[in-house]
Amino acid sequence: MTELNRVLEIIGKIAKISADGDYIYRGEPECYEKVTSTLYRQLTDLNLTHLDIEEVQQQEIEEAKRYTNETDDFKICMKIQHFGGKTNLIDFTEDYVIALFFAASGSPDKDGRIILQNKKGQIKDWIRQIKDRVPDSRPGVQKSIFVQPPKGFIPNELIKQEEIVIPKELKRSILDYIENEFKISYEKIYHDIYGFIGNQVNRWSAYSEFKKAEELQKSGDKTDHSVEKEKHYQKASEGYTNAINRLPSLAEPYYNRGLVKHQLGEVDHAIEDYNTAIKLLPQLAEVYYNRGLAYDERGEYKLAIQDCNTAIKIDPKDVNAYINRGIIHRENEEHDRAIDDFNKAMELKPDNAEIYNNLGITFGKKGEHNKAIDNFKKALELK
C-alpha cells in the first residue's frame, strides 16, 4: 500500500467514526498517557492536585481582570489559553483536517493520534462553544471549541473508545497531503504575529540544535577510534532529532541524520530520513546520491543508480555524484562504467585523492595491477 493510500485510509476511518454523530476532534503529536489541561499539568508539577481546579481557574481569571478591560470570564480564559497561559480548557476543533495537522506537525519520531469525541456523549456538559467566532482570528481559522473537564482531564476510557493512531512514518505525508488538498499549513493555522514569534523561536532553536549536532558529526568523521566515532554519531543523531522536533519543515537535519544513521549501519532508518529530506527539498543533489549508496547496501542496484542519475541531472558538476555512482557500479562489478564515472569526476576535480584511490581499487578488481598502483601513488601524492 502506498503512503498516499495509507493517508486516505486514516481519513476514511475518521469519516466512518464521525459519520453518525456530531463530533469534535483533537490532534496530538504523541500518544500521551492522559488528555489534560495546561492548568492540571501545572498543579501536578507543583504537587497541588488536591486543590479544586475550577476554583483555581476562577482565581486566575479574577487576577487576569487586573490586566484587561474584558469582563466575560470565558473570553478572558480563552485569551489566556490563546497566549500560552495556564487554563482548564482543552483545545479541540470542529475540523478533522486541522486535528490531523496537529497530530502530524510535531514529534516526528513518535506516533501521534486523533481523538474523536461525540458532542452529545459523556463530555456534552464540558463543552465550551465560542460565540461569534471571528473567521480570520486564530480560533476562527482553527475552528476551535473547548472542553473544560471538572477534574482537569478527560478519562482514558472516553479517549480509547474513539482514537486513531497516526504512524510516525506517515506524518510528513499527511502534512504534504493536507497542505496540497486543503491549504492547511503552519502559516495558515497560526496566521498572526504571535504565530510568527512562536515559529521564530522554534526556528532559531532548531538552527542552534542543528549546529551543535553538525559539530558532533564532524568530530565523528575525524576520529579513527570506533567507539568514539559511534558515540559522536549517536549524540549527533539526537541533536538532529531535537532540531527536527523544533522545526519539522527543515530538510537539512533529516539529511544529516540520514548520513549519521548510515554511518551507524542503520540503513533503513537512513533511507527514511533521506526520503523526508527529498520531500522537503527535492533539488538537493547530495541527498539522492547518498540515498543511492544506501539502496546499494540493501541490494537495490537499479534504485541506487537511478538516484545517482537524478543527482547528476540536478547538478552535472557535482563530483561526489559521479564518485558515488562509480562506487555503486564497482560494487556491482560494472568496472568499466565505474572507471568512466571516476574519470568524469577527475575532469571536474583533478586534485581529488579519493578519485585516484577509487580508480586504484577498481583497476585492482579488474586485474590491471600496474594501473591500480599508478593511481594509488597519485592518491598518496595528493594526500
Side-chain angles (χ1 to χ4, degrees):
M1 184 182 290
T2 66
E3 285 194 355
L4 176 58
N5 285 339
R6 292 178 68 193
V7 171
L8 295 174
E9 184 180 50
I10 287 171
I11 291 173
K13 285 181 182 177
I14 297 171
K16 184 177 180 180
I17 292 173
S18 56
D20 297 329
D22 189 5
Y23 276 77
I24 58 176
Y25 313 89
R26 177 175 172 81
E28 295 185 338
E30 299 180 27
C31 298
Y32 300 111
E33 288 184 14
K34 257 182 173 180
V35 178
T36 61
S37 68
T38 52
L39 187 55
Y40 177 87
R41 294 197 290 275
Q42 182 71 64
L43 293 177
T44 301
D45 290 343
L46 296 173
N47 236 355
L48 295 173
T49 49
H50 60 282
L51 298 177
D52 185 293
I53 195 167
E54 292 289 272
E55 290 181 6
V56 174
Q57 177 166 273
Q58 192 57 46
Q59 290 169 10
E60 292 296 289
I61 290 170
E62 295 303 319
E63 178 67 18
K65 287 178 180 177
R66 298 170 55 195
Y67 297 83
T68 178
N69 294 324
E70 183 61 70
T71 58
D72 184 273
D73 285 1
F74 177 57
K75 287 183 179 179
I76 291 172
C77 199
M78 194 171 67
K79 282 188 177 180
I80 296 171
Q81 180 85 351
H82 175 82
F83 291 110
K86 313 298 183 188
T87 78
N88 194 33
L89 299 177
I90 300 176
D91 293 276
F92 276 75
T93 175
E94 294 177 306
D95 189 332
Y96 75 84
V97 179
I98 292 170
L100 267 174
F101 169 82
F102 285 114
S105 61
S107 303
D109 292 327
K110 295 182 180 178
D111 292 342
R113 65 178 175 180
I114 298 286
I115 296 165
L116 299 89
Q117 291 289 292
N118 193 321
K119 289 168 73 175
K120 296 176 183 176
Q122 293 184 54
I123 67 163
K124 64 180 184 296
D125 295 330
W126 305 347
I127 291 174
R128 303 298 303 273
Q129 185 83 41
I130 303 172
K131 295 178 181 178
D132 304 321
R133 197 164 53 194
V134 180
D136 60 353
S137 67
R138 187 184 291 190
V141 170
Q142 296 181 6
K143 299 181 184 177
S144 297
I145 188 167
F146 298 102
V147 172
Q148 186 174 334
K151 294 184 179 179
F153 60 88
I154 301 174
N156 275 348
E157 57 267 25
L158 295 184
I159 299 301
K160 296 300 178 183
Q161 286 173 9
E162 295 175 322
E163 171 192 65
I164 295 173
V165 173
I166 306 299
K168 59 187 177 184
E169 68 274 11
L170 280 186
K171 285 186 173 183
R172 186 69 250 166
S173 295
I174 287 171
L175 291 175
D176 290 342
Y177 178 80
I178 62 178
E179 182 167 7
N180 290 333
E181 295 296 322
F182 301 99
K183 310 305 178 190
I184 298 293
S185 63
Y186 184 93
E187 292 78 9
K188 173 74 173 178
I189 292 295
Y190 297 104
H191 191 59
D192 53 32
I193 195 64
Y194 304 103
F196 164 74
I197 292 168
N199 192 42
Q200 187 183 46
V201 170
N202 285 339
R203 194 166 65 249
W204 287 108
S205 178
Y207 289 145
S208 174
E209 291 289 344
F210 177 80
K211 292 305 293 182
K212 285 188 228 172
E214 199 173 40
E215 290 304 313
L216 287 164
Q217 184 179 0
K218 288 176 182 176
S219 297
D221 292 340
K222 288 176 183 176
T223 183
D224 292 324
H225 193 282
S226 60
V227 175
E228 284 297 310
K229 186 182 284 289
E230 182 175 350
K231 183 177 169 183
H232 286 307
Y233 284 153
Q234 290 286 7
K235 286 185 177 179
S237 178
E238 292 168 10
Y240 289 131
T241 299
N242 290 338
I244 289 165
N245 286 339
R246 285 162 174 75
L247 195 63
S249 61
L250 199 61
E252 286 80 359
Y254 286 103
Y255 169 55
N256 281 30
R257 190 174 66 175
L259 291 174
V260 168
K261 293 289 187 184
H262 202 160
Q263 290 285 351
L264 290 168
E266 300 176 28
V267 178
D268 290 344
H269 288 148
I271 289 174
E272 287 175 11
D273 278 337
Y274 294 147
N275 290 344
T276 304
I278 286 168
K279 285 179 183 176
L280 291 168
L281 197 61
Q283 292 302 307
L284 198 60
E286 59 199 85
V287 187
Y288 288 96
Y289 59 70
N290 279 294
R291 188 176 69 173
L293 287 177
Y295 277 137
D296 187 51
E297 285 187 37
R298 285 208 316 203
E300 299 177 73
Y301 175 59
K302 288 183 179 179
L303 286 176
I305 293 299
Q306 183 178 307
D307 266 355
C308 288
N309 291 344
T310 301
I312 290 167
K313 185 177 180 181
I314 292 170
D315 186 358
K317 294 185 178 180
D318 192 320
V319 173
N320 290 319
Y322 291 100
I323 292 174
N324 282 17
R325 190 171 69 177
I327 290 170
I328 293 167
H329 279 314
R330 184 180 66 219
E331 293 298 320
N332 289 276
E333 298 185 358
E334 297 275 357
H335 297 131
D336 289 335
R337 288 184 175 181
I339 290 167
D340 287 342
D341 276 333
F342 296 138
N343 284 333
K344 179 61 179 176
M346 194 191 305
E347 289 174 17
L348 294 167
K349 198 166 185 181
D351 59 348
N352 187 308
E354 184 185 356
I355 299 169
Y356 290 97
N357 188 58
N358 273 298
L359 277 167
I361 294 169
T362 310
F363 280 121
K365 285 183 175 290
K366 279 190 73 180
E368 298 182 32
H369 301 299
N370 289 334
K371 288 183 179 180
I373 291 168
D374 289 342
N375 278 285
F376 286 139
K377 284 179 179 178
K378 183 65 178 176
L380 289 167
E381 286 174 14
L382 291 168
K383 190 175 180 181

